[in-house]
Amino acid sequence: ATALAVFSSDALSSVSYATEAILTILVLGGSVALGLSLPIAAAIAGLLLIVGFSYRQTIHAYPQGGGGYIVTRDNLGDLPGLVAAGALLIDYVLTVAVSISAGVAAITSLATNWGFPTLRDHAVEIALVCILIVTIANLRGAKESGFIFSIPTYAFISGILSMIVFGIAHDLMFGADPVVHSIDPDIPPTGEVLSLWLILRAFAAGCTALTGIEAISDGVQAFKPPEARNAAITLTLMISLLVTMFLGITWLAYTHQAVPNEFTHETIVSQIARTIFGVGPLYVFIQIATALILVLAANTAFADFPRLASFLSRDRFLPRQFSSRGDRLVFSNGILVLGLCSAVLVVIFQANEIAMLPLYAVGVFTSFTLSQSGMVRRHFRRKQPGWHYSAMINGIGATLTGIVLVILMVTKFVHGAWMVITAIPILVMVFRAINQHYQRVAEQLSLSGAILPPELRRHTAIVLVSGIHRGVLPALQYARSIAPDNVTAVYVDLDPEATAKLRQRWQNWGCDIPLVVLESPYRSLINPILRYIEEVESRYGDDVITVILPEFVPARWWEHLLHNQTGLLIKTALRLRGTVVTSVPYRLAR
Amino acid sequence: ATALAVFSSDALSSVSYATEAILTILVLGGSVALGLSLPIAAAIAGLLLIVGFSYRQTIHAYPQGGGGYIVTRDNLGDLPGLVAAGALLIDYVLTVAVSISAGVAAITSLATNWGFPTLRDHAVEIALVCILIVTIANLRGAKESGFIFSIPTYAFISGILSMIVFGIAHDLMFGADPVVHSIDPDIPPTGEVLSLWLILRAFAAGCTALTGIEAISDGVQAFKPPEARNAAITLTLMISLLVTMFLGITWLAYTHQAVPNEFTHETIVSQIARTIFGVGPLYVFIQIATALILVLAANTAFADFPRLASFLSRDRFLPRQFSSRGDRLVFSNGILVLGLCSAVLVVIFQANEIAMLPLYAVGVFTSFTLSQSGMVRRHFRRKQPGWHYSAMINGIGATLTGIVLVILMVTKFVHGAWMVITAIPILVMVFRAINQHYQRVAEQLSLSGAILPPELRRHTAIVLVSGIHRGVLPALQYARSIAPDNVTAVYVDLDPEATAKLRQRWQNWGCDIPLVVLESPYRSLINPILRYIEEVESRYGDDVITVILPEFVPARWWEHLLHNQTGLLIKTALRLRGTVVTSVPYRLAR
Ligand SMILES: [K+]
Ligand SMILES: [K+]
Ligand SMILES: [K+]
Ligand SMILES: [K+]
Ligand SMILES: [K+]
Ligand SMILES: [K+]
């Protein structure tokens, strides 16, 4: 039972914005067009049933849990698998940005009806704080208590279902009151012609209702045994609830003439709930439950994103930093990247979830289509008993989601989907470049055929100094000890006055090490040093040359920012040319 | 003549938003209140004249150029100087953000009247691109050609003056037509009570007209000799132009009933210009000249900010990275910080310059008040001929700007000035912390009383390995050469399988160096290493211990991101405890 709550928050929470997404498009066709929301919602509900049915197959085929990446890569190969992975990573970022923004919208709508309309002006800040809290909670790895997690989900389901039942009953008996707006929304009197294009756009917008339904098939192994069977039952239950709530909300929005209001930014659910229940405890309950289930939905992405990233990293398509090398900080990098990316999206879109929706759903439908196609291929390969039937179901799912994907890409392209459609191939190219890199490195580091390098002959040491002070002395001593017969100190002359002073003090404190002063006609620090090292290398070709850097270590962490930036630059330049560098630290006490 | 153009763009450009700032506040009191714009503007014009007169004194006292920081620190001491510096740094950031946003508003207003109202939706993106361009131009250090710079300034002055003359003449002969709006602005019918508070707020808003007039006294040395006299003449000319244009625009706004329009976001100057000239070439000329002079105003901050930062850095109140160590990249860091901070402001305020104005002017009035007070103190100290008269002028200036500063802080506090008022003391604390740090370091590194550290006895080497491959061999050889009689290789066991494989291969490739495998019960990498080093230190107390890290150097720059993050972490940890670390790089060919 808690499994339903944990895995379905992402899917069920979508009903809080899916209807609004449809109406936002239809309203462009004037108030006449709004009636079309019902047939469009019915078409989406049909799609939901078919895709859900198709996903049952995946659950039975991958009882150990099969995300879009694994199912696709397994059955269709690397490239389609990487496309699915890129699409899913993007979709997880959008899940966080959309869900948090929609949650904030639920709260600001509540505030507006309580007489605080100005809270809406701080939507971006509130959303960023929410993302920060969820990120930190996930970084600290709070044990996910299924029980606590189930409360908002059940509260949301019961709140929305009561609203639908009570609302429809009330409407039948007394007729439906239209929503009253504090500021009237702007409905274009004639508007865009009500075209097939507009209907397709509205349908595409409503397809966000399907986002999140893949969660159960990704996490089959978390169910009680028999896992596959329980997961399939949960999936059926979830799809039924999703269809009921989505159709119910759309119906009530129609009968109560709810429309998106660009001035108050009040959500459709808030408009309906207060019209049916009045601004009382039931209304408040629904708004808070909506906000909480949306935060929960965002939270699921914080488990999914790092997991997918670690799969990709394990397969060497993402940097090793995303995979656990057994460290406690397993998923930290994935969590941080997800938190950061979603925060950037929230700022760019000013926490307006409706504006983000054109980017959403494209990724998840890409993954739907690919993984269903993968399932079809699998059935054809394995030809297990009853494979014809299963292949047909997955084939219908793949075809339908593929058609919807094309509709999504075409209708949403100029409204933002182009960003996702461009980003997916770029991500795939990055994945492949990383993979090729790791392969090249492994080949070059292989010991097969290697020979031991020759014994080292003599050491030559070069100490880089930027002056003479206590922090330099240990480095000079160290240099003398490793290369007693060939050590020089090198200084770059940027200011004749300072140079003269250094020369003079070197007599007393230079430890008898010869001081070489380099001219720098272009006032650069690094070039003269690199040129000098080259010269030394050609002179003492057989020696191993060590560059020694005195570094002082400040006592406080922030003080490091004030120092050693040049030292870092020099070390990087020397590393690139393959020179041995030794840091001799000098710790400051305070 | 070009001096006027270069130094006055910041000051003169303010007239493009100062009137609008006043009207934005007054409109809250209903359309009746709008008539108060004239007396308020007159009061601000008076203030302008007095402050300008007071600044003439500074010009004569500091012919080598005296910014607020130098004049204040010179006469009142460190702390007030730092307050002035902090206030000015913030104001430079706001100069860029406000000017660029206002420039974009001029262009989007033009676009709206050409039938492209949707350009306004991309104001943030356009503003960010402008900031990027100005930042890059300043980083590349394009020679500032006074001639090219003077074109927008003169175009702006002549455009605005013609509009004022033609407008007033036309009004006198034919009467003034009210501005026609495509969407009517929202004027509250009764609105806030027209209170003294509202009038003070409107006055405070209009004080943005004074921003930028300090530029001439900051740059006296750039004038032709006699510098002080030419600068003073230029200042007088600039103040006259500023007063004329500001009063003229406010007058025309009044007679043509121009009001800020929150729907079209059309600027007041655009409303007036198109009402007087129609949407023709003259209107286009004014809008483009306005946009260009505002970009120029932003550009001046890109010279001022890095210069002030380098003064502060020279006095050790900011990190050394901001002062020229004779490098060609003198001001790069200051330019980058300014570009970044102003870009952040533009995003936060969505390129709405009117929303940023409550933050603006607070900083510059702080600097006005402090530097004028400093001048008073100076006169009292030096008692040069005529000092009574000069002290009186500066005293009046200081008192007036001080009073206005209090008005600004009180009336604008909740509308955003609190951010500046909080940020200034924080900046001052940062300045002082940095200064104390540099002092502490200098004391601790001083050679007075130092004794040469003892000769180093024997070397102990520890090679950290994460496996055995070609990249490790040179590090093992290096370790053997510096510490032939005491070297070990250290490996942290995170995975028993990998460890067994390593032990086996070590037989062939380990160069006869003993391999120490550390257990890591908590799966951490760094803690076992640090514990081992401590143990070795206590065992071989007299030795110098060198930790040797094999590092391989990828062939492409981006590949570095995929490696050595753990190495970096280890190096940092070792540096903090004062351990000598040697990197032995192994370069990959591809
Ligand atoms: K859903
Ligand atoms: K969702
Ligand atoms: K999702
Ligand atoms: K000004
Ligand atoms: K200004
Ligand atoms: K300024």
Side-chain angles (χ1 to χ4, degrees), chain A residues 466-478:
Chain A
S466 62
I468 178 85
H469 52 67
R470 281 185 199 223
V472 174
L473 305 180
L476 295 176
Q477 294 281 44
Y478 187 91

Side-chain angles (χ1 to χ4, degrees), chain B residues 25-45:
Chain B
I25 305 295
L26 285 181
V27 80
L28 299 175
S31 51
V32 177
L34 291 173
L36 285 171
S37 61
L38 292 176
I40 290 172
I44 290 167

Side-chain angles (χ1 to χ4, degrees), chain A residues 222-338:
Chain A
F223 284 81
K224 291 209 188 79
E227 290 87 357
R229 192 164 161 271
N230 282 330
I233 293 173
T234 310
L235 178 68
T236 310
L237 186 58
M238 182 185 83
I239 297 276
S240 324
L241 280 169
L242 187 54
V243 168
T244 310
M245 295 199 290
F246 176 53
L247 290 178
I249 290 174
T250 310
W251 171 263
L252 291 175
Y254 172 66
T255 55
H256 292 273
Q257 300 165 37
V259 272
N261 189 319
E262 69 275 39
F263 301 119
T264 61
H265 293 283
E266 185 180 7
T267 65
I268 292 290
V269 170
S270 167
Q271 293 181 20
I272 300 171
R274 70 170 162 83
T275 306
I276 289 175
F277 290 131
V279 182
L282 282 169
Y283 167 69
V284 173
F285 177 82
I286 285 180
Q287 290 306 105
I288 291 179
T290 306
L292 288 179
I293 197 181
L294 283 161
V295 172
L296 215 55
N299 192 64
T300 60
F302 276 90
D304 295 339
F305 186 99
R307 194 178 48 209
L308 177 52
S310 84
F311 289 158
L312 287 166
S313 172
R314 186 201 57 197
D315 298 342
R316 297 259 178 263
F317 290 112
L318 272 186
R320 288 189 309 191
Q321 289 93 322
F322 288 104
S323 72
S324 64
R325 260 204 67 201
D327 225 305
R328 270 191 67 214
L329 309 167
V330 193
F331 286 157
S332 306
N333 288 319
I335 292 170
L336 283 174
V337 168
L338 176 61

Side-chain angles (χ1 to χ4, degrees), chain B residues 6-39:
Chain B
V6 171
F7 286 106
S8 60
S9 62
D10 185 10
L12 296 180
S13 64
S14 319
V15 302
S16 68
Y17 46 79
T19 302
E20 186 160 353
I22 298 176
L23 296 177
T24 302
I25 305 295
L26 285 181
V27 80
L28 299 175
S31 51
V32 177
L34 291 173
L36 285 171
S37 61
L38 292 176

Side-chain angles (χ1 to χ4, degrees), chain B residues 249-297:
Chain B
I249 289 174
T250 311
W251 171 262
L252 290 176
Y254 172 66
T255 55
H256 291 273
Q257 302 165 38
V259 272
N261 189 319
E262 69 276 38
F263 301 120
T264 61
H265 294 280
E266 185 179 8
T267 65
I268 292 289
V269 170
S270 167
Q271 293 180 21
I272 300 171
R274 72 171 161 82
T275 306
I276 290 174
F277 290 132
V279 182
L282 282 169
Y283 166 69
V284 173
F285 177 82
I286 286 181
Q287 290 306 105
I288 291 178
T290 306
L292 288 178
I293 196 179
L294 281 161
V295 172
L296 214 56

Side-chain angles (χ1 to χ4, degrees), chain B residues 284-576:
Chain B
V284 173
F285 177 82
I286 286 181
Q287 290 306 105
I288 291 178
T290 306
L292 288 178
I293 196 179
L294 281 161
V295 172
L296 214 56
N299 192 64
T300 61
F302 276 90
D304 294 340
F305 185 99
R307 191 176 53 207
L308 178 52
S310 84
F311 288 158
L312 286 166
S313 171
R314 186 200 58 197
D315 297 342
R316 296 258 177 264
F317 290 111
L318 273 185
R320 288 189 310 193
Q321 287 93 321
F322 287 105
S323 72
S324 63
R325 262 203 69 199
D327 226 304
R328 271 189 67 213
L329 309 167
V330 194
F331 287 154
S332 306
N333 288 319
I335 291 170
L336 283 174
V337 169
L338 176 61
L340 206 70
C341 293
S342 55
V344 168
L345 272 186
V346 163
V347 171
I348 291 177
F349 287 94
Q350 291 287 299
N352 181 348
E353 76 281 7
I354 302 297
M356 292 180 211
L357 290 180
L359 281 71
Y360 203 28
V362 174
V364 87
F365 268 86
T366 306
S367 154
F368 281 165
T369 309
L370 287 171
S371 70
Q372 308 292 328
S373 309
M375 289 300 295
V376 175
R377 178 91 179 265
R378 181 187 170 93
H379 295 309
F380 269 89
R381 271 193 190 151
R382 302 201 160 198
K383 299 199 195 293
Q384 281 171 338
W387 71 273
H388 279 111
Y389 172 73
S390 303
M392 197 187 67
I393 292 178
N394 282 132
I396 294 173
T399 313
L400 266 180
T401 51
I403 293 171
V404 174
L405 177 60
V406 172
I407 296 177
L408 289 179
M409 293 203 292
V410 172
T411 58
K412 293 177 162 190
F413 191 82
V414 293
H415 302 101
W418 62 269
M419 295 185 218
V420 177
I421 295 168
T422 325
I424 292 176
I426 292 175
L427 272 180
V428 170
M429 282 191 293
V430 170
F431 293 152
R432 295 178 71 145
I434 290 173
N435 188 252
Q436 281 159 17
H437 162 74
Y438 280 120
Q439 279 177 20
R440 276 197 306 269
V441 169
E443 282 161 22
Q444 291 179 79
L445 291 182
S446 154
L447 284 171
S448 68
I451 43 165
L452 275 182
E455 287 274 329
L456 299 177
R457 251 164 282 243
R458 198 180 62 145
H459 281 274
T460 295
I462 299 169
V463 189
L464 301 182
V465 296
S466 62
I468 178 84
H469 52 68
R470 281 184 200 225
V472 174
L473 304 180
L476 295 176
Q477 295 282 40
Y478 187 90
R480 278 216 308 197
S481 79
I482 68 159
D485 52 348
N486 197 10
V487 49
T488 47
V490 167
Y491 176 78
V492 180
D493 172 25
L494 291 174
D495 171 4
E497 210 173 302
T499 308
K501 212 164 113 191
L502 174 68
R503 277 194 204 275
Q504 190 208 318
R505 303 177 78 190
W506 196 262
Q507 318 256 319
N508 291 329
W509 298 101
C511 305
D512 302 323
I513 292 173
L515 175 69
V516 175
V517 174
L518 305 176
E519 299 300 315
S520 174
Y522 300 105
R523 311 193 75 64
S524 149
L525 208 58
I526 293 185
N527 290 335
I529 293 173
L530 294 182
R531 232 176 300 119
Y532 179 76
I533 292 172
E534 258 165 49
E535 200 187 301
V536 171
E537 272 177 345
S538 63
R539 211 183 316 152
Y540 307 104
D542 282 349
D543 283 22
V544 55
I545 291 174
T546 304
V547 173
I548 295 175
L549 281 174
E551 291 186 329
F552 60 84
V553 182
R556 292 166 194 77
W557 67 267
W558 59 267
E559 297 175 338
H560 288 265
L561 302 174
L562 307 179
H563 297 281
N564 296 316
Q565 312 299 330
T566 324
L568 211 65
L569 225 62
I570 293 173
K571 276 196 262 185
T572 308
L574 293 175
R575 203 167 142 238
L576 287 178

